[in-house]
Amino acid sequence: MKLINMVSLFFPNRCLSCGKDISLQKSLCEECAELIDGPVMAPFSLPYLKRAYAYWRYETPLKELIQTYKFKDRPRMAGIFADMLFDMLCVFSDNIKVVVPVPTTVQAFRKRGFDTNYLIMKSLRKRISIKVEDILVAGGGRTPQSRLGVEERKESVKGKFHLRERTSAERVLLFDDVVTSGATASQCAKVLLEGGVKEVVLLAIAKAKGP
Ligand SMILES: [Zn+2]
């Protein structure tokens, strides 16, 4: 199903991005949905990761979609992002069959009632044969990353993640919704490599402008 149709499955009657009136069950108007229908950015590099891919920039209208999903309790929107990941895996098919989501902290889980990344993975699994291993655990609640500078972000994620169990896979995909400084993704990749994984490739929905 084309992304534009998926985006149409969900609620409000105003475009989340430009505010234009749209029919019920949509979340973006056609013009806004077309902007993000199909692109995958060029790979970029981050410490500890073999490669990193993002579907699009963390900008309007994708930014509004992600924020609505995460902060306004719209778990049903997970399918929209699973479609984007599916597109990415079609472009980059490196035959990696295990995906590990970056975990939600316990505090964020309690607040939202769902693990945003894991839910997208569950939705992806309906579309493609891939094993989801929820083996990373995030420690305590800290200052939200968005309020920290680059150096503070690097410090705040050190020691934050650990492995609940090892994976038998030698190569894994790491999934996070938004990459900002990349500190979280790098730290998760480091933990996976220390746990015996040989290669980690990052998939993200959106990448914010570099630090
Ligand atoms: Zn619009």
mmCIF file of all heavy atoms in Angstrom, residues 105-126:
data_model
loop_
_atom_site.group_PDB
_atom_site.id
_atom_site.type_symbol
_atom_site.label_atom_id
_atom_site.label_comp_id
_atom_site.label_asym_id
_atom_site.label_seq_id
_atom_site.Cartn_x
_atom_site.Cartn_y
_atom_site.Cartn_z
ATOM 1 N N THR A 105 12.371 4.406 28.013
ATOM 2 C CA THR A 105 12.634 4.313 29.449
ATOM 3 C C THR A 105 11.341 3.932 30.185
ATOM 4 O O THR A 105 10.242 4.137 29.658
ATOM 5 C CB THR A 105 13.119 5.662 30.041
ATOM 6 O OG1 THR A 105 12.093 6.626 29.813
ATOM 7 C CG2 THR A 105 14.421 6.124 29.413
ATOM 8 N N VAL A 106 11.499 3.379 31.364
ATOM 9 C CA VAL A 106 10.333 2.973 32.152
ATOM 10 C C VAL A 106 9.396 4.165 32.373
ATOM 11 O O VAL A 106 8.173 4.057 32.248
ATOM 12 C CB VAL A 106 10.785 2.390 33.515
ATOM 13 C CG1 VAL A 106 9.584 2.101 34.401
ATOM 14 C CG2 VAL A 106 11.597 1.123 33.294
ATOM 15 N N GLN A 107 9.993 5.321 32.644
ATOM 16 C CA GLN A 107 9.176 6.525 32.890
ATOM 17 C C GLN A 107 8.339 6.894 31.671
ATOM 18 O O GLN A 107 7.154 7.202 31.781
ATOM 19 C CB GLN A 107 10.080 7.714 33.260
ATOM 20 C CG GLN A 107 10.618 7.659 34.665
ATOM 21 C CD GLN A 107 11.858 6.763 34.770
ATOM 22 O OE1 GLN A 107 12.257 6.096 33.823
ATOM 23 N NE2 GLN A 107 12.462 6.737 35.943
ATOM 24 N N ALA A 108 8.988 6.859 30.503
ATOM 25 C CA ALA A 108 8.261 7.227 29.275
ATOM 26 C C ALA A 108 7.176 6.200 28.979
ATOM 27 O O ALA A 108 6.083 6.548 28.527
ATOM 28 C CB ALA A 108 9.227 7.332 28.102
ATOM 29 N N PHE A 109 7.476 4.934 29.265
ATOM 30 C CA PHE A 109 6.495 3.876 29.032
ATOM 31 C C PHE A 109 5.263 4.096 29.907
ATOM 32 O O PHE A 109 4.118 3.998 29.450
ATOM 33 C CB PHE A 109 7.118 2.508 29.325
ATOM 34 C CG PHE A 109 6.183 1.365 29.061
ATOM 35 C CD1 PHE A 109 6.029 0.878 27.774
ATOM 36 C CD2 PHE A 109 5.440 0.806 30.087
ATOM 37 C CE1 PHE A 109 5.149 -0.170 27.510
ATOM 38 C CE2 PHE A 109 4.564 -0.238 29.835
ATOM 39 C CZ PHE A 109 4.422 -0.723 28.548
ATOM 40 N N ARG A 110 5.513 4.430 31.179
ATOM 41 C CA ARG A 110 4.380 4.653 32.104
ATOM 42 C C ARG A 110 3.529 5.827 31.633
ATOM 43 O O ARG A 110 2.312 5.805 31.719
ATOM 44 C CB ARG A 110 4.921 4.946 33.510
ATOM 45 C CG ARG A 110 5.363 3.682 34.197
ATOM 46 C CD ARG A 110 5.398 3.865 35.717
ATOM 47 N NE ARG A 110 6.063 2.729 36.327
ATOM 48 C CZ ARG A 110 7.193 2.807 37.009
ATOM 49 N NH1 ARG A 110 7.778 3.977 37.217
ATOM 50 N NH2 ARG A 110 7.739 1.739 37.529
ATOM 51 N N LYS A 111 4.198 6.850 31.138
ATOM 52 C CA LYS A 111 3.497 8.052 30.721
ATOM 53 C C LYS A 111 2.632 7.784 29.487
ATOM 54 O O LYS A 111 1.484 8.190 29.409
ATOM 55 C CB LYS A 111 4.532 9.135 30.403
ATOM 56 C CG LYS A 111 4.022 10.535 30.506
ATOM 57 C CD LYS A 111 5.204 11.492 30.535
ATOM 58 C CE LYS A 111 4.813 12.835 29.998
ATOM 59 N NZ LYS A 111 6.005 13.639 29.704
ATOM 60 N N ARG A 112 3.206 7.062 28.502
ATOM 61 C CA ARG A 112 2.503 6.855 27.230
ATOM 62 C C ARG A 112 1.678 5.590 27.200
ATOM 63 O O ARG A 112 0.722 5.488 26.440
ATOM 64 C CB ARG A 112 3.512 6.781 26.081
ATOM 65 C CG ARG A 112 4.221 8.072 25.863
ATOM 66 C CD ARG A 112 5.191 7.947 24.702
ATOM 67 N NE ARG A 112 6.098 9.074 24.760
ATOM 68 C CZ ARG A 112 7.402 9.000 24.546
ATOM 69 N NH1 ARG A 112 7.953 7.851 24.229
ATOM 70 N NH2 ARG A 112 8.137 10.070 24.645
ATOM 71 N N GLY A 113 2.092 4.607 27.990
ATOM 72 C CA GLY A 113 1.366 3.345 27.998
ATOM 73 C C GLY A 113 1.759 2.426 26.856
ATOM 74 O O GLY A 113 1.205 1.355 26.694
ATOM 75 N N PHE A 114 2.703 2.851 26.011
ATOM 76 C CA PHE A 114 3.199 1.943 24.973
ATOM 77 C C PHE A 114 4.637 2.302 24.638
ATOM 78 O O PHE A 114 5.060 3.433 24.828
ATOM 79 C CB PHE A 114 2.305 1.969 23.733
ATOM 80 C CG PHE A 114 2.233 3.284 22.988
ATOM 81 C CD1 PHE A 114 2.945 3.460 21.815
ATOM 82 C CD2 PHE A 114 1.434 4.324 23.447
ATOM 83 C CE1 PHE A 114 2.867 4.657 21.116
ATOM 84 C CE2 PHE A 114 1.341 5.529 22.760
ATOM 85 C CZ PHE A 114 2.069 5.695 21.585
ATOM 86 N N ASP A 115 5.378 1.281 24.174
ATOM 87 C CA ASP A 115 6.767 1.492 23.792
ATOM 88 C C ASP A 115 6.771 1.874 22.315
ATOM 89 O O ASP A 115 6.475 1.054 21.450
ATOM 90 C CB ASP A 115 7.561 0.198 24.039
ATOM 91 C CG ASP A 115 9.045 0.364 23.741
ATOM 92 O OD1 ASP A 115 9.387 1.129 22.806
ATOM 93 O OD2 ASP A 115 9.859 -0.269 24.430
ATOM 94 N N THR A 116 7.055 3.115 22.032
ATOM 95 C CA THR A 116 6.865 3.658 20.677
ATOM 96 C C THR A 116 7.655 2.893 19.612
ATOM 97 O O THR A 116 7.124 2.572 18.556
ATOM 98 C CB THR A 116 7.244 5.154 20.631
ATOM 99 O OG1 THR A 116 8.531 5.316 21.219
ATOM 100 C CG2 THR A 116 6.248 5.981 21.396
ATOM 101 N N ASN A 117 8.917 2.599 19.893
ATOM 102 C CA ASN A 117 9.741 1.904 18.887
ATOM 103 C C ASN A 117 9.322 0.448 18.720
ATOM 104 O O ASN A 117 9.279 -0.065 17.611
ATOM 105 C CB ASN A 117 11.224 1.960 19.280
ATOM 106 C CG ASN A 117 11.826 3.320 18.988
ATOM 107 O OD1 ASN A 117 11.240 4.127 18.271
ATOM 108 N ND2 ASN A 117 12.996 3.579 19.540
ATOM 109 N N TYR A 118 9.022 -0.203 19.827
ATOM 110 C CA TYR A 118 8.656 -1.620 19.769
ATOM 111 C C TYR A 118 7.348 -1.816 18.987
ATOM 112 O O TYR A 118 7.198 -2.757 18.221
ATOM 113 C CB TYR A 118 8.542 -2.200 21.183
ATOM 114 C CG TYR A 118 8.295 -3.693 21.176
ATOM 115 C CD1 TYR A 118 9.266 -4.570 20.703
ATOM 116 C CD2 TYR A 118 7.091 -4.217 21.628
ATOM 117 C CE1 TYR A 118 9.038 -5.937 20.675
ATOM 118 C CE2 TYR A 118 6.862 -5.580 21.603
ATOM 119 C CZ TYR A 118 7.831 -6.436 21.128
ATOM 120 O OH TYR A 118 7.607 -7.786 21.089
ATOM 121 N N LEU A 119 6.444 -0.892 19.178
ATOM 122 C CA LEU A 119 5.155 -0.976 18.477
ATOM 123 C C LEU A 119 5.337 -0.860 16.960
ATOM 124 O O LEU A 119 4.673 -1.566 16.188
ATOM 125 C CB LEU A 119 4.243 0.140 18.980
ATOM 126 C CG LEU A 119 2.756 -0.102 18.897
ATOM 127 C CD1 LEU A 119 2.353 -1.333 19.690
ATOM 128 C CD2 LEU A 119 1.998 1.111 19.400
ATOM 129 N N ILE A 120 6.249 -0.007 16.543
ATOM 130 C CA ILE A 120 6.541 0.125 15.108
ATOM 131 C C ILE A 120 7.144 -1.185 14.590
ATOM 132 O O ILE A 120 6.800 -1.658 13.509
ATOM 133 C CB ILE A 120 7.493 1.317 14.852
ATOM 134 C CG1 ILE A 120 6.793 2.632 15.203
ATOM 135 C CG2 ILE A 120 7.951 1.347 13.391
ATOM 136 C CD1 ILE A 120 7.704 3.850 15.227
ATOM 137 N N MET A 121 8.008 -1.793 15.403
ATOM 138 C CA MET A 121 8.621 -3.072 15.019
ATOM 139 C C MET A 121 7.560 -4.164 14.865
ATOM 140 O O MET A 121 7.605 -4.976 13.960
ATOM 141 C CB MET A 121 9.628 -3.524 16.081
ATOM 142 C CG MET A 121 10.874 -2.699 16.167
ATOM 143 S SD MET A 121 11.832 -2.785 14.652
ATOM 144 C CE MET A 121 11.317 -1.305 13.846
ATOM 145 N N LYS A 122 6.601 -4.182 15.786
ATOM 146 C CA LYS A 122 5.541 -5.190 15.708
ATOM 147 C C LYS A 122 4.756 -5.029 14.414
ATOM 148 O O LYS A 122 4.368 -5.995 13.773
ATOM 149 C CB LYS A 122 4.594 -5.048 16.906
ATOM 150 C CG LYS A 122 5.011 -5.923 18.077
ATOM 151 C CD LYS A 122 4.155 -5.706 19.295
ATOM 152 C CE LYS A 122 2.743 -6.222 19.152
ATOM 153 N NZ LYS A 122 1.962 -6.006 20.385
ATOM 154 N N SER A 123 4.515 -3.793 14.049
ATOM 155 C CA SER A 123 3.786 -3.507 12.828
ATOM 156 C C SER A 123 4.625 -3.885 11.598
ATOM 157 O O SER A 123 4.101 -4.411 10.608
ATOM 158 C CB SER A 123 3.418 -2.025 12.813
ATOM 159 O OG SER A 123 2.561 -1.746 11.771
ATOM 160 N N LEU A 124 5.930 -3.648 11.672
ATOM 161 C CA LEU A 124 6.827 -4.005 10.564
ATOM 162 C C LEU A 124 6.846 -5.517 10.347
ATOM 163 O O LEU A 124 6.883 -6.001 9.219
ATOM 164 C CB LEU A 124 8.246 -3.505 10.866
ATOM 165 C CG LEU A 124 9.327 -3.848 9.829
ATOM 166 C CD1 LEU A 124 9.064 -3.115 8.516
ATOM 167 C CD2 LEU A 124 10.716 -3.511 10.342
ATOM 168 N N ARG A 125 6.807 -6.239 11.439
ATOM 169 C CA ARG A 125 6.891 -7.697 11.382
ATOM 170 C C ARG A 125 5.712 -8.311 10.612
ATOM 171 O O ARG A 125 5.798 -9.407 10.093
ATOM 172 C CB ARG A 125 6.927 -8.238 12.812
ATOM 173 C CG ARG A 125 7.609 -9.562 12.957
ATOM 174 C CD ARG A 125 7.896 -9.838 14.390
ATOM 175 N NE ARG A 125 6.763 -9.516 15.234
ATOM 176 C CZ ARG A 125 6.810 -9.466 16.564
ATOM 177 N NH1 ARG A 125 7.951 -9.707 17.178
ATOM 178 N NH2 ARG A 125 5.751 -9.181 17.274
ATOM 179 N N LYS A 126 4.615 -7.569 10.536
ATOM 180 C CA LYS A 126 3.478 -8.063 9.755
ATOM 181 C C LYS A 126 3.754 -7.959 8.257
ATOM 182 O O LYS A 126 3.075 -8.568 7.447
ATOM 183 C CB LYS A 126 2.223 -7.237 10.077
ATOM 184 C CG LYS A 126 1.677 -7.494 11.467
ATOM 185 C CD LYS A 126 0.460 -6.608 11.702
ATOM 186 C CE LYS A 126 0.123 -6.536 13.163
ATOM 187 N NZ LYS A 126 -0.658 -5.330 13.491
#
